[in-house]
Amino acid sequence: MSKTSLHQRKKKERENSSSSSADSKRVQALEEEINKALQTVQITKFRTQELQTQWRTHLLRMSYLVVLLAMHQCSTPVTECIKELKLIDNSAASNVSGLTFMGVIFGDSAVEFMNLFISIALFRFLCVRNPPGTFSNLSYCCSSSMIMLCLGMFFHSYQKTQKAQEEEEGPIVGSNRGCIESLASWTGEEKFMSYSVGDGEDAFERSARQFPISCVFHVIVTVCYFVMKMGMDQCDGNVEAMEKLQRELIESKKKNTISKKSK
């Protein structure tokens, strides 16, 4: 009887030993798979970061061109407004202060100045590195707050010009005297309205206002940064999930070891 029980006990021990050995092999294989998966997601995250760094560099290079184009868009109406104001006689212009002239010029080119401000703000935003700028960055927030105002003023000016062209039924000289009209409004002197921008071959027409380039670039930057943020959030989530799984496996191994020693 004792021999039978001894034999059964030894058989049980061998079974437990083989079972624990198989369990340890499975745990080891699972641990290796988790380590490989963690290494894979870490490499993916690193490559994503490199790709996004190159992406931001290209956007920064584009911002140089956008600032230059915004400066060109701003300089054209300013030059034409100054040219228009120079038609006023010196005797009449002597009674007007320089600040008034500057106010007229700025008011006539407010959209273009705003366009330039937005492009510079985006340039400063794209210059932020290590870590890169986010949507809460001050420069980005400033540019975003000016977008709707800039677009609203541009379309208002466009509709006003279209309406004036329909009323005049053709190329109009009156619409080309925007700065002179503004000066008359600022000073309250209608005598400035008697000055013409020229007749016949001497007449000049002001260039059509171009759509603010910074508004288009702002949309591009916003979409790019939104996509990059989504990509990095996904990579961070994958790494965090693998690290959590690895920690849980290590804790499970420790608990099994302690339970075996207690037996």
Side-chain angles (χ1 to χ4, degrees):
M1 188 73 180
S2 60
K3 288 183 179 180
T4 305
S5 61
L6 182 63
H7 177 71
Q8 289 177 348
R9 191 171 67 179
K10 285 183 179 180
K11 185 178 179 182
K12 229 179 235 190
E13 287 177 355
R14 284 196 300 269
E15 288 177 354
N16 291 336
S17 175
S18 60
S19 176
S20 61
S21 176
D23 290 341
S24 64
K25 287 181 180 180
R26 283 198 297 269
V27 170
Q28 186 176 1
L30 181 61
E31 187 176 5
E32 289 177 357
E33 291 296 326
I34 292 175
N35 290 335
K36 288 180 181 179
L38 178 60
Q39 187 177 7
T40 300
V41 295
Q42 286 175 341
I43 292 173
T44 302
K45 180 181 177 180
F46 175 73
R47 289 177 178 173
T48 303
Q49 288 175 334
E50 282 189 333
L51 180 62
Q52 292 187 1
T53 300
Q54 295 174 5
W55 202 349
R56 293 189 190 94
T57 302
H58 289 312
L59 288 173
L60 180 60
R61 290 171 182 167
M62 287 177 63
S63 69
Y64 301 149
L65 180 60
V66 171
V67 171
L68 291 176
L69 289 174
M71 292 175 65
H72 174 71
Q73 288 183 336
C74 185
S75 65
T76 301
V78 169
T79 303
E80 291 179 348
C81 185
I82 293 173
K83 184 178 179 181
E84 183 179 336
L85 292 175
K86 282 183 178 180
L87 297 171
I88 302 173
D89 292 338
N90 292 333
S91 58
S94 60
N95 299 325
V96 183
S97 65
L99 289 176
T100 301
F101 280 115
M102 289 179 62
V104 170
I105 294 171
F106 180 79
D108 182 71
S109 307
V111 175
E112 286 74 20
F113 279 113
M114 210 174 298
N115 177 40
L116 181 59
F117 173 82
I118 294 171
S119 64
I120 293 174
L122 288 174
F123 167 73
R124 287 178 59 85
F125 170 67
L126 292 170
C127 286
V128 178
R129 301 289 184 90
N130 301 324
T134 61
F135 291 133
S136 60
N137 182 273
L138 180 60
S139 296
Y140 180 82
C141 291
C142 289
S143 65
S144 299
S145 63
M146 303 290 284
I147 286 293
M148 297 307 298
L149 181 60
C150 182
L151 289 175
M153 293 178 66
F154 171 78
F155 286 113
H156 173 72
S157 175
Y158 178 79
Q159 290 175 358
K160 185 179 177 181
T161 303
Q162 290 294 106
K163 186 178 179 181
Q165 287 179 350
E166 289 175 1
E167 290 175 355
E168 294 289 336
E169 296 181 355
I172 48 178
V173 178
S175 66
N176 298 337
R177 298 189 302 175
C179 291
I180 293 179
E181 290 178 358
S182 298
L183 182 61
S185 176
W186 276 56
T187 59
E189 298 183 12
E190 296 296 330
K191 63 180 181 180
F192 293 118
M193 294 301 296
S194 60
Y195 292 96
S196 174
V197 293
D199 297 317
E201 295 180 356
D202 297 331
F204 74 90
E205 292 185 10
R206 300 195 64 177
S207 303
R209 297 299 175 90
Q210 298 178 353
F211 188 84
I213 186 66
S214 62
C215 296
V216 178
F217 188 59
H218 185 276
V219 174
I220 294 173
V221 171
T222 301
V223 171
C224 289
Y225 268 71
F226 179 75
V227 172
M228 286 189 283
K229 183 178 182 302
M230 287 183 60
M232 283 309 303
D233 288 345
Q234 185 176 0
C235 290
D236 290 336
N238 292 337
V239 172
E240 186 178 351
M242 287 297 103
E243 288 177 346
K244 182 180 178 181
L245 190 60
Q246 190 179 47
R247 288 193 300 268
E248 290 177 352
L249 181 63
I250 292 172
E251 290 175 1
S252 177
K253 285 176 65 177
K254 287 181 180 179
K255 288 180 182 178
N256 291 335
T257 304
I258 293 171
S259 63
K260 285 179 182 179
K261 286 182 179 180
S262 62
K263 290 179 181 180

